Amino acid sequence: MRVGVFGASGYVGGELLRLLLRHPKVEVKVATSNTYAGEFIHRVHPNLRGVTNLKFVVSDLKAVVNNCDLLFMATPHGVSSSLVPQILETGIKVIDASADFRLKNPSDYERWYGWKHKSTELLEKAVYGLPEIHREEIRKAQLVAVPGCMAAAGILALAPIIKWGSVEKDRIVADFKVGSSGAGGKPSISTHHSEHYSVVRAYKPVGHRHTAEIEQELSALSGEKVTIAMSAHAVNMVRGILATCHVFVKEPVSIVDLWRLYREFYAGEPFIRFVRDRKGVFRFPDPKVVVGSNYCDIGFEIDDNVNRVVVLSAIDNLMKGVAGTAVQDMNLMCNWDEKEGLHDIGLHPV
Amino acid sequence: MRVGVFGASGYVGGELLRLLLRHPKVEVKVATSNTYAGEFIHRVHPNLRGVTNLKFVVSDLKAVVNNCDLLFMATPHGVSSSLVPQILETGIKVIDASADFRLKNPSDYERWYGWKHKSTELLEKAVYGLPEIHREEIRKAQLVAVPGCMAAAGILALAPIIKWGSVEKDRIVADFKVGSSGAGGKPSISTHHSEHYSVVRAYKPVGHRHTAEIEQELSALSGEKVTIAMSAHAVNMVRGILATCHVFVKEPVSIVDLWRLYREFYAGEPFIRFVRDRKGVFRFPDPKVVVGSNYCDIGFEIDDNVNRVVVLSAIDNLMKGVAGTAVQDMNLMCNWDEKEGLHDIGLHPV
Amino acid sequence: MRVGVFGASGYVGGELLRLLLRHPKVEVKVATSNTYAGEFIHRVHPNLRGVTNLKFVVSDLKAVVNNCDLLFMATPHGVSSSLVPQILETGIKVIDASADFRLKNPSDYERWYGWKHKSTELLEKAVYGLPEIHREEIRKAQLVAVPGCMAAAGILALAPIIKWGSVEKDRIVADFKVGSSGAGGKPSISTHHSEHYSVVRAYKPVGHRHTAEIEQELSALSGEKVTIAMSAHAVNMVRGILATCHVFVKEPVSIVDLWRLYREFYAGEPFIRFVRDRKGVFRFPDPKVVVGSNYCDIGFEIDDNVNRVVVLSAIDNLMKGVAGTAVQDMNLMCNWDEKEGLHDIGLHPV
Amino acid sequence: MRVGVFGASGYVGGELLRLLLRHPKVEVKVATSNTYAGEFIHRVHPNLRGVTNLKFVVSDLKAVVNNCDLLFMATPHGVSSSLVPQILETGIKVIDASADFRLKNPSDYERWYGWKHKSTELLEKAVYGLPEIHREEIRKAQLVAVPGCMAAAGILALAPIIKWGSVEKDRIVADFKVGSSGAGGKPSISTHHSEHYSVVRAYKPVGHRHTAEIEQELSALSGEKVTIAMSAHAVNMVRGILATCHVFVKEPVSIVDLWRLYREFYAGEPFIRFVRDRKGVFRFPDPKVVVGSNYCDIGFEIDDNVNRVVVLSAIDNLMKGVAGTAVQDMNLMCNWDEKEGLHDIGLHPV
């Protein structure tokens, strides 16, 4: 199958290229970047040196559409909502890594993103591309919106316990720790090495946009309004997200109960691993362990002192956080093995 | 004044030496270490090369007592409780950096530390050495227990809002991010560079011992039982703690209200700085900024989505987290300028 | 084919397991570790959780030999020289990751390692397992000695220019920068995170043992004695080696000459990449770019000020530095595709 | 004394402010920054929050000159050479942290910097501000050029052995490892955290401009032409430079000889420390140990294999590498205690 990546010079675009260039079922026909058009891809993504001789081309929608059967959009938020309608008309499948089609309620775009959505009729048609929650819809979709990286980590951590239900749904705290690649490839003072090294920066203690997605998905699962008290911190690593979710329970729950809840919810999932050991250093999920892989590691603990369950999830923000899930979505949309092209396991140590 | 450091080869001991060797009012007479007795101090604390020719000596209590007017205990938890009673009898002042005299309720030692306290009669006499809360008692104390590093960060973040009172006192989440020096100087797999680099390790998602101190101090301030849902994470830095405290409020509160609350509570405090800007990269507290200094930076934000206040505090775990506060305590106990020997400001960048 | 890893709980053993568990032609039958016998492998190598259910077993040579056709030795230096003779008698092929069979001259073991070699008769039979230099001998070998990680980087950087010959062979400086995983998985003060973070530690400014290998191989290539002025530095990363080789040339040489020299020497090599761009950030080899891959990136520059050529090479010390080369050696010994199981490309960013 | 910092929003300017604000003999009257004029200084240098209420002002030369007795220039290369002549006419003393007055030979500016110097008559008048080499001239100077950070490390490492003389003066290799703050505070792709973390980037394998300074100073010391084969690498830390200098000796030299040479050359120097232990982790200079201090740590080792001496020097690039030396120069120019305001010792661990 012929695929293209629109906006391929960013970190998400680069990670998509890394996965797609080795995917046995697809051929990368086009990678667009207006900034780097004409340059070899390895000038921007040095890991791809010797792996491909592809060059970036300008973002010419017509040329892209003629050369691809499926298109990945890795453009800044707000771009794809004006491009996708015309792309879809040509029959091409679209997997959008931006936020433009994640939210169902148009007013949420005004509230959380500050702009009015231009293609609201597509919001209903788009499928929220988290396979563990929407697998069957993804299989049939023409337009899939890849979840936000923190949203993916948060939803996967919380879905089983929210589905169970006996928790205080308006007292859930989700405290995120994120690597610098989550801020993208564009230099700024906040991501300048001298300013970001050793940092624990609460760059978004309240009001993070992914709150909207998490609340949307968990409320749908719950049947009731779920609110999330979300805080995001930048830490000194490149890849990875740890979500620490603090959940107050309304009735006593045991570790055995939690194991059962989580195992049942995620039965058969190829990319969910449970990490909860009684001893050793690697007892709980840690993003360090999943770097480069599509795994979401999940663990939990009970706090008897305060009727709290702590659920932890760890992902590579560029893999399960976006590009890995995007390829998983493609595999589903094309009826291929869901794990195709996603066999990398993490490195130890790294 | 003649001072000594008992257990001086650890990171807390080394930081005490760094501060005390430059303190204009004291002379370091003795630094004990059974492991390194006979070695120059700079073999273990290389920053002190050329600064002192002192050598470590064995931990001989009698010799120490004869040469010192004030003694810092930087021994592992459980050691000082058996030594301090005899030391106090000689009239020497003691500042204990371990946990042995922090808790007032003897049963808390059994619950949180798993051992029975041997000198329970001293628990009442010991003063919890957080100057911002117990300044006047510290001035008169013979035995001061330096707060745990995370406890210091947590209490300083939460004290003003707890004192104000209109918060859900059993739904407070305190999510900590800590540098590797907090684990001490003894090598282990969890602190092995290859295993700790890039890590976000939830090493204590529930059950951290500092919970006991924080609850003790905040309950006393509040007049009601306060519980803390505490989680501790190790991140990829050496020094520093960020406490992210999630507090659900019972009545609406504004940023102006919070400014007033915090300014009043900490009026005149030499080591409390408020960090809450509307723009720029350095809008909120970050441990990176306080490395090497005795500051506790505090900031806050309001989350309208969930009736939450997020309070953030950042300290250098070896400074305000222990050795800096210990010297501040000494200054108070000796009626010296409280800031003496603590004038270092942080480095930028570092 | 049935393979085993002897000494599988270290970082080299873990990396071998990562590669072998996904290698389509082999089945891992046994992984030994006396320390962790009985434990699941993912207790020690957390990246392998969910990938294998294998457990460590004790290092029982007889059991290992009965279950394997090829054995990887990942034991500390000095161990395999006493075990390998008996293993070879059973007809099994051995790939030894330790230093025990790398040097041809028995007296070199006394000089550089400080012990007398017990199986000197095997030193001649063993093949130095650097495919780019000894490919044909490796194909026919029963015993292959995997090069030391820094030796591999140094030899690959220098071989073409040494073969060319017009250089000062007794003035070659090789300045290495190495990640912490090169020190292995055993905790120590020097690799304690607090002591290793931000470090540039000249842990072996002179006298590094890999000097012996580099001199042996380059002298053989040159036909004359080549000496190497080697210095090794630990830096703040986990994986990777950069070799900066400073070579004084006896006659003028141009960049075009160097390109020709290096391209000819490495024509057709699957894991050698040249990195020398005129612009951009990724102009020269950098270990960051090859993490997790088997590539050796090589670049060079000419210094007109001092008649110097600087040759740079970058490898992942656990991959091309040992486990990757070991698997490449296995592929050659078994007449398989040399790249089998080694298709991973690096991550960007990481 | 009234001092000003021209170009105070960069890292050098910030470090000068940190030192000057606590210096007992000076008052900072003005800190210029066209970009941040009107902003509080702590918006850019967050460590100075609560330490000063100074704001940046525009770079108005007249206003500056009227308010200062001594001016620090922390402007980009090429700026001060057109400003300094007019400043000097007012009688003000100038300490220039840029490269504009470091080189004595005007043609060196064309060769190494690519521009023609506009005030060549001042090159002779300016003093190269390395106190260990030019102390007496600095005392009498009106214009001092602060050495380049790598030049300072290189010259201090090599001066004693060059003065001794029996070395191959055209085969000296100086291999530098530098932290990210050396690249300044302006964001770029090469210093973007995701691209700089874990890096060992040979950003200047040949042709580094500081070569000119090192050759100038060492040739003057030697009486013969000395050439330096310099290579510069960026590594994953913020502050610090390690210079690894490889020197081939013409006659045998012992460790005792080297000790004598170095001790004599640096007798009485307040900021030179020797680091060469036989055991332990901290045997050789490491920039980690000098972070925040004005020390230059120097060590050495002999390589019998190749008639080589390795000399190592470590500095904090913002301290002894520029701002610390600048303040040391000021102290000399003003006949104050040379150590005034420079008493900080490093942190351990950090």
Side-chain angles (χ1 to χ4, degrees):
Chain A
M1 199 178 68
R2 303 170 310 158
V3 302
V5 178
F6 209 88
S9 64
Y11 288 158
V12 171
E15 190 71 348
L16 282 167
L17 289 173
R18 181 178 76 90
L19 296 174
L20 295 169
L21 285 166
R22 294 184 308 160
H23 193 290
K25 305 265 191 179
V26 309
E27 189 186 1
V28 180
K29 298 297 285 185
V30 60
T32 86
S33 164
N34 289 333
T35 310
Y36 294 98
E39 295 268 18
F40 282 115
I41 276 174
H42 64 73
R43 275 284 162 77
V44 176
H45 304 304
N47 57 326
L48 302 181
R49 192 185 292 261
V51 175
T52 180
N53 279 319
L54 213 61
K55 290 181 175 182
F56 292 110
V57 297
V58 291
S59 303
D60 173 355
L61 203 57
K62 225 170 273 176
V64 171
V65 160
N66 286 336
N67 281 291
C68 299
D69 306 307
L70 186 150
L71 189 58
F72 292 89
M73 302 297 290
T75 43
H77 301 318
V79 172
S80 70
S81 51
S82 56
L83 298 177
V84 162
Q86 359 172 6
I87 303 174
L88 291 181
E89 280 174 17
T90 69
I92 284 182
K93 289 174 176 168
V94 173
I95 297 175
D96 185 3
S98 83
D100 285 21
F101 295 99
R102 292 179 196 154
L103 303 177
K104 296 303 171 195
N105 188 339
S107 70
D108 274 349
Y109 282 96
E110 288 166 67
R111 177 174 175 207
W112 294 94
Y113 288 85
W115 44 267
K116 217 173 153 59
H117 203 285
K118 295 165 205 152
S119 315
T120 52
E121 71 290 354
L122 285 178
L123 294 182
E124 210 45 50
K125 181 184 162 106
V127 173
Y128 190 77
L130 197 57
E132 291 77 5
I133 308 289
H134 295 289
R135 180 168 283 112
E136 293 314 312
E137 299 153 81
I138 295 167
R139 283 192 208 280
K140 290 172 254 163
Q142 191 192 358
L143 171 59
V144 165
V146 183
C149 55
M150 275 179 271
I155 295 166
L156 291 173
L158 289 166
I161 201 167
I162 288 293
K163 182 114 191 270
W164 171 62
S166 208
V167 304
E168 298 185 8
K169 296 190 183 67
D170 51 357
R171 293 291 178 275
I172 297 168
V173 172
D175 191 294
F176 289 85
K177 295 87 179 167
V178 187
S180 60
S181 66
K186 210 176 154 189
S188 70
I189 292 178
S190 71
T191 52
H192 194 49
H193 182 271
S194 290
E195 303 294 357
H196 202 285
Y197 186 80
S198 299
V199 97
V200 188
R201 183 183 294 138
Y203 69 98
K204 206 75 191 169
V206 309
H208 196 287
R209 292 161 164 188
H210 290 182
T211 309
E213 293 172 47
I214 306 178
E215 293 188 348
Q216 166 183 292
E217 294 298 312
L218 294 182
S219 297
L221 257 179
S222 162
E224 292 174 49
K225 175 70 182 165
V226 175
T227 57
I228 299 293
M230 177 175 179
S231 295
H233 306 76
V235 294
N236 187 25
M237 61 183 183
V238 172
R239 286 182 179 229
I241 294 173
L242 184 78
T244 311
C245 302
H246 309 265
V247 182
F248 294 97
V249 290
K250 291 179 175 168
E251 54 177 299
V253 65
S254 71
I255 286 293
V256 173
D257 295 336
L258 289 173
W259 268 118
R260 195 176 45 231
L261 264 175
Y262 275 80
R263 281 202 190 284
E264 279 176 11
F265 194 95
Y266 289 125
E269 283 299 338
F271 295 113
I272 303 289
R273 291 194 300 198
F274 297 109
V275 183
R276 190 186 177 279
D277 288 353
R278 281 160 196 245
K279 61 173 181 176
V281 170
F282 312 110
R283 298 191 310 278
F284 292 108
D286 183 340
K288 179 180 168 83
V289 173
V290 298
V291 165
S293 84
N294 199 43
Y295 289 116
C296 176
D297 283 359
I298 296 177
F300 37 74
E301 193 58 281
I302 291 170
D303 182 355
D304 295 325
N305 190 43
V306 290
N307 293 322
R308 173 180 57 141
V309 171
V310 178
V311 188
L312 300 150
S313 67
I315 60 171
D316 178 333
N317 58 303
L318 292 176
M319 286 293 299
K320 190 68 186 168
V322 47
T325 289
V327 169
Q328 193 180 352
D329 287 336
M330 175 184 73
N331 290 338
L332 287 167
M333 291 161 85
C334 298
N335 281 312
W336 299 330
D337 176 358
E338 193 171 339
K339 301 186 296 297
E340 196 70 88
L342 298 169
H343 294 285
D344 284 349
I345 53 184
L347 302 168
H348 177 250
V350 72
Chain B
M1 200 178 68
R2 303 170 309 158
V3 302
V5 178
F6 208 89
S9 64
Y11 289 158
V12 171
E15 191 71 348
L16 283 167
L17 289 173
R18 180 177 77 90
L19 296 173
L20 295 169
L21 285 165
R22 295 183 307 160
H23 194 292
K25 305 266 191 179
V26 309
E27 189 187 0
V28 179
K29 297 297 284 185
V30 60
T32 84
S33 164
N34 290 333
T35 310
Y36 294 100
E39 296 269 17
F40 282 115
I41 276 173
H42 65 72
R43 275 284 163 76
V44 175
H45 305 304
N47 58 326
L48 301 180
R49 190 186 293 261
V51 176
T52 180
N53 279 319
L54 213 61
K55 291 182 175 182
F56 292 110
V57 297
V58 291
S59 303
D60 173 356
L61 203 56
K62 226 170 272 175
V64 171
V65 160
N66 286 336
N67 281 292
C68 299
D69 306 307
L70 186 151
L71 188 59
F72 292 90
M73 301 297 291
T75 42
H77 301 317
V79 172
S80 70
S81 50
S82 56
L83 298 177
V84 162
Q86 0 172 5
I87 303 174
L88 291 181
E89 280 175 17
T90 69
I92 284 183
K93 288 175 176 166
V94 174
I95 298 176
D96 184 3
S98 83
D100 286 21
F101 295 98
R102 293 180 196 152
L103 303 177
K104 295 302 172 195
N105 188 339
S107 69
D108 275 349
Y109 283 96
E110 287 165 69
R111 178 175 174 207
W112 293 96
Y113 287 84
W115 44 267
K116 217 174 155 59
H117 202 285
K118 294 166 205 149
S119 315
T120 53
E121 72 290 354
L122 285 178
L123 294 181
E124 210 45 49
K125 180 184 164 107
V127 173
Y128 190 77
L130 197 58
E132 291 78 5
I133 308 289
H134 296 288
R135 180 169 285 111
E136 294 314 312
E137 299 152 82
I138 295 167
R139 283 193 208 279
K140 292 171 254 164
Q142 190 193 358
L143 170 59
V144 165
V146 184
C149 55
M150 276 179 270
I155 294 165
L156 291 173
L158 289 166
I161 202 167
I162 288 293
K163 183 114 190 269
W164 171 61
S166 208
V167 304
E168 299 186 6
K169 296 189 185 68
D170 51 357
R171 293 291 178 273
I172 298 168
V173 172
D175 190 294
F176 290 85
K177 295 85 178 167
V178 187
S180 60
S181 66
K186 210 176 154 190
S188 69
I189 292 179
S190 71
T191 53
H192 194 50
H193 182 271
S194 291
E195 304 294 357
H196 202 284
Y197 186 80
S198 299
V199 97
V200 188
R201 183 182 295 139
Y203 69 97
K204 205 76 189 169
V206 308
H208 195 287
R209 292 161 166 188
H210 291 183
T211 308
E213 293 172 50
I214 306 177
E215 294 188 349
Q216 165 184 294
E217 294 298 312
L218 295 181
S219 297
L221 258 177
S222 162
E224 294 173 47
K225 174 72 183 163
V226 175
T227 57
I228 299 293
M230 177 175 179
S231 296
H233 306 76
V235 295
N236 186 26
M237 60 184 182
V238 171
R239 284 181 181 231
I241 293 173
L242 184 78
T244 311
C245 302
H246 309 266
V247 181
F248 294 97
V249 290
K250 290 180 177 169
E251 53 177 300
V253 66
S254 71
I255 286 293
V256 173
D257 295 336
L258 289 173
W259 268 118
R260 197 176 42 232
L261 264 176
Y262 275 80
R263 280 202 192 284
E264 280 175 11
F265 194 96
Y266 289 124
E269 284 299 339
F271 295 114
I272 303 289
R273 291 194 302 198
F274 296 109
V275 183
R276 190 185 176 280
D277 289 353
R278 281 160 197 246
K279 60 174 181 176
V281 170
F282 313 109
R283 297 191 311 278
F284 292 108
D286 183 342
K288 178 180 169 84
V289 174
V290 298
V291 165
S293 84
N294 199 44
Y295 289 117
C296 176
D297 282 359
I298 297 178
F300 37 74
E301 194 57 284
I302 291 169
D303 183 355
D304 296 326
N305 190 43
V306 290
N307 294 322
R308 172 180 57 142
V309 170
V310 178
V311 188
L312 299 150
S313 67
I315 60 170
D316 178 333
N317 58 303
L318 293 177
M319 285 293 299
K320 190 68 186 167
V322 47
T325 289
V327 169
Q328 194 178 352
D329 287 337
M330 175 184 73
N331 290 339
L332 288 168
M333 292 161 84
C334 298
N335 281 312
W336 299 331
D337 176 359
E338 191 171 340
K339 301 188 294 297
E340 196 70 88
L342 298 170
H343 294 285
D344 283 350
I345 55 185
L347 303 167
H348 176 249
V350 73
Chain C
M1 199 179 69
R2 304 170 309 159
V3 302
V5 178
F6 208 90
S9 64
Y11 288 158
V12 171
E15 191 71 347
L16 282 167
L17 289 173
R18 181 178 75 91
L19 296 173
L20 295 169
L21 286 165
R22 295 183 308 160
H23 194 292
K25 305 266 190 178
V26 309
E27 189 187 359
V28 179
K29 296 297 286 186
V30 60
T32 84
S33 164
N34 290 334
T35 311
Y36 294 99
E39 294 270 16
F40 282 115
I41 277 173
H42 66 73
R43 275 283 163 77
V44 176
H45 304 304
N47 57 326
L48 301 180
R49 192 185 292 262
V51 175
T52 179
N53 280 319
L54 213 61
K55 290 182 176 182
F56 292 109
V57 297
V58 291
S59 302
D60 173 355
L61 202 58
K62 224 171 272 177
V64 171
V65 160
N66 286 336
N67 281 291
C68 299
D69 306 306
L70 187 150
L71 188 59
F72 293 90
M73 302 297 290
T75 43
H77 301 318
V79 172
S80 70
S81 50
S82 56
L83 298 178
V84 163
Q86 358 170 8
I87 304 175
L88 291 181
E89 280 174 18
T90 69
I92 283 182
K93 289 175 176 167
V94 173
I95 297 176
D96 184 3
S98 83
D100 285 21
F101 296 99
R102 292 180 196 153
L103 303 177
K104 295 302 171 194
N105 188 337
S107 70
D108 275 349
Y109 282 96
E110 287 166 68
R111 178 174 174 207
W112 293 95
Y113 288 85
W115 44 266
K116 217 173 153 60
H117 202 286
K118 295 167 205 149
S119 316
T120 54
E121 71 291 353
L122 285 179
L123 294 182
E124 209 45 49
K125 182 183 162 108
V127 173
Y128 190 76
L130 197 58
E132 290 79 4
I133 308 288
H134 296 288
R135 180 169 284 110
E136 294 314 312
E137 298 152 83
I138 295 167
R139 283 193 208 280
K140 291 172 253 163
Q142 192 192 357
L143 170 59
V144 164
V146 184
C149 54
M150 276 180 270
I155 295 166
L156 291 172
L158 290 167
I161 201 166
I162 288 293
K163 183 113 189 269
W164 171 61
S166 209
V167 305
E168 298 186 7
K169 296 190 184 68
D170 51 357
R171 293 290 178 275
I172 297 167
V173 172
D175 191 294
F176 289 85
K177 295 85 179 168
V178 188
S180 60
S181 65
K186 208 175 153 188
S188 70
I189 292 178
S190 71
T191 52
H192 194 50
H193 182 271
S194 291
E195 303 294 357
H196 202 285
Y197 186 80
S198 298
V199 98
V200 188
R201 183 183 294 139
Y203 69 98
K204 206 74 190 171
V206 309
H208 195 285
R209 292 162 165 186
H210 289 184
T211 307
E213 293 173 48
I214 306 178
E215 294 189 349
Q216 165 183 292
E217 294 298 312
L218 294 181
S219 297
L221 258 177
S222 162
E224 292 174 49
K225 174 71 182 164
V226 175
T227 57
I228 298 293
M230 176 175 178
S231 295
H233 306 76
V235 295
N236 187 25
M237 61 184 182
V238 171
R239 286 182 179 229
I241 293 173
L242 184 78
T244 311
C245 301
H246 309 267
V247 181
F248 293 97
V249 290
K250 291 179 176 168
E251 53 178 300
V253 65
S254 71
I255 287 293
V256 172
D257 295 337
L258 290 173
W259 267 118
R260 196 176 45 232
L261 265 175
Y262 275 80
R263 280 202 191 285
E264 279 176 12
F265 194 96
Y266 290 125
E269 284 299 338
F271 295 113
I272 302 289
R273 291 193 302 197
F274 297 110
V275 183
R276 191 187 175 279
D277 288 354
R278 279 160 198 247
K279 60 174 183 176
V281 171
F282 312 109
R283 296 191 313 278
F284 292 109
D286 184 341
K288 179 180 168 82
V289 173
V290 297
V291 164
S293 84
N294 200 43
Y295 288 117
C296 176
D297 282 0
I298 297 178
F300 37 74
E301 193 57 283
I302 291 171
D303 182 355
D304 295 326
N305 191 43
V306 290
N307 293 321
R308 173 179 57 142
V309 171
V310 178
V311 189
L312 300 150
S313 67
I315 60 170
D316 178 332
N317 58 303
L318 292 177
M319 285 293 298
K320 189 68 186 167
V322 47
T325 289
V327 168
Q328 193 179 351
D329 287 337
M330 175 184 73
N331 290 339
L332 287 168
M333 292 161 85
C334 298
N335 282 313
W336 298 330
D337 177 358
E338 193 171 339
K339 301 188 294 298
E340 196 71 88
L342 297 169
H343 295 284
D344 283 349
I345 54 185
L347 303 168
H348 176 250
V350 72
Chain D
M1 200 178 68
R2 304 169 309 159
V3 301
V5 178
F6 208 89
S9 65
Y11 288 158
V12 171
E15 190 71 348
L16 282 167
L17 290 173
R18 180 177 76 90
L19 296 174
L20 295 168
L21 286 165
R22 295 183 307 160
H23 193 291
K25 306 266 191 177
V26 309
E27 188 187 359
V28 180
K29 296 297 285 185
V30 60
T32 85
S33 163
N34 290 333
T35 311
Y36 294 99
E39 296 268 17
F40 282 115
I41 277 174
H42 65 71
R43 275 284 162 78
V44 176
H45 304 304
N47 57 325
L48 301 181
R49 191 185 294 261
V51 175
T52 180
N53 279 319
L54 214 61
K55 290 182 176 184
F56 292 110
V57 298
V58 291
S59 303
D60 174 355
L61 203 56
K62 224 170 275 175
V64 171
V65 160
N66 286 336
N67 282 292
C68 299
D69 306 305
L70 187 150
L71 188 58
F72 292 89
M73 302 296 290
T75 43
H77 301 318
V79 171
S80 70
S81 51
S82 57
L83 298 177
V84 162
Q86 357 172 11
I87 304 175
L88 291 181
E89 280 173 18
T90 68
I92 283 182
K93 288 175 176 167
V94 174
I95 297 176
D96 185 2
S98 83
D100 285 22
F101 295 100
R102 292 179 197 154
L103 303 178
K104 295 303 171 193
N105 188 337
S107 70
D108 274 350
Y109 282 96
E110 289 165 67
R111 178 175 175 206
W112 293 96
Y113 288 84
W115 45 267
K116 217 173 154 58
H117 202 285
K118 294 166 205 152
S119 316
T120 53
E121 71 289 354
L122 285 178
L123 295 181
E124 209 45 48
K125 183 185 160 105
V127 173
Y128 190 77
L130 198 57
E132 291 78 5
I133 309 287
H134 297 287
R135 180 169 284 109
E136 294 313 312
E137 300 153 83
I138 295 167
R139 282 193 209 279
K140 291 171 254 165
Q142 190 192 358
L143 171 59
V144 165
V146 184
C149 55
M150 276 179 270
I155 295 166
L156 291 173
L158 290 166
I161 201 166
I162 288 292
K163 183 116 189 267
W164 171 63
S166 209
V167 306
E168 299 186 5
K169 297 190 183 67
D170 51 357
R171 294 292 178 274
I172 297 168
V173 172
D175 191 293
F176 289 85
K177 296 86 179 167
V178 188
S180 60
S181 65
K186 209 175 152 189
S188 70
I189 292 178
S190 70
T191 52
H192 194 50
H193 182 271
S194 290
E195 303 293 358
H196 202 285
Y197 186 81
S198 299
V199 97
V200 188
R201 182 183 295 138
Y203 69 98
K204 206 74 189 170
V206 308
H208 195 286
R209 293 160 163 189
H210 290 183
T211 309
E213 293 172 49
I214 306 178
E215 294 188 349
Q216 165 183 292
E217 295 298 312
L218 294 181
S219 297
L221 258 178
S222 161
E224 292 173 48
K225 174 71 183 164
V226 174
T227 57
I228 298 293
M230 177 175 178
S231 295
H233 306 76
V235 296
N236 187 27
M237 61 185 182
V238 171
R239 286 180 178 231
I241 293 174
L242 184 78
T244 312
C245 301
H246 309 266
V247 181
F248 293 97
V249 289
K250 290 178 175 169
E251 53 178 298
V253 65
S254 70
I255 286 293
V256 173
D257 294 336
L258 289 172
W259 268 118
R260 197 176 44 231
L261 265 176
Y262 275 79
R263 281 202 192 282
E264 279 176 13
F265 194 97
Y266 289 125
E269 284 298 340
F271 296 114
I272 303 289
R273 290 193 301 197
F274 298 109
V275 182
R276 191 186 175 279
D277 288 353
R278 281 159 197 247
K279 61 173 182 177
V281 170
F282 313 109
R283 297 191 311 279
F284 293 108
D286 183 341
K288 178 180 169 84
V289 173
V290 297
V291 165
S293 84
N294 199 43
Y295 289 117
C296 176
D297 283 359
I298 296 178
F300 37 74
E301 193 57 283
I302 290 170
D303 182 355
D304 295 326
N305 191 41
V306 291
N307 293 321
R308 173 179 57 141
V309 171
V310 178
V311 188
L312 299 151
S313 68
I315 60 171
D316 178 332
N317 58 303
L318 292 176
M319 285 294 298
K320 189 68 186 168
V322 48
T325 289
V327 169
Q328 193 179 351
D329 287 337
M330 176 184 72
N331 290 338
L332 287 168
M333 292 161 84
C334 298
N335 281 313
W336 298 332
D337 176 359
E338 193 171 339
K339 302 186 295 296
E340 196 71 89
L342 297 170
H343 295 285
D344 283 350
I345 53 184
L347 303 168
H348 177 249
V350 71

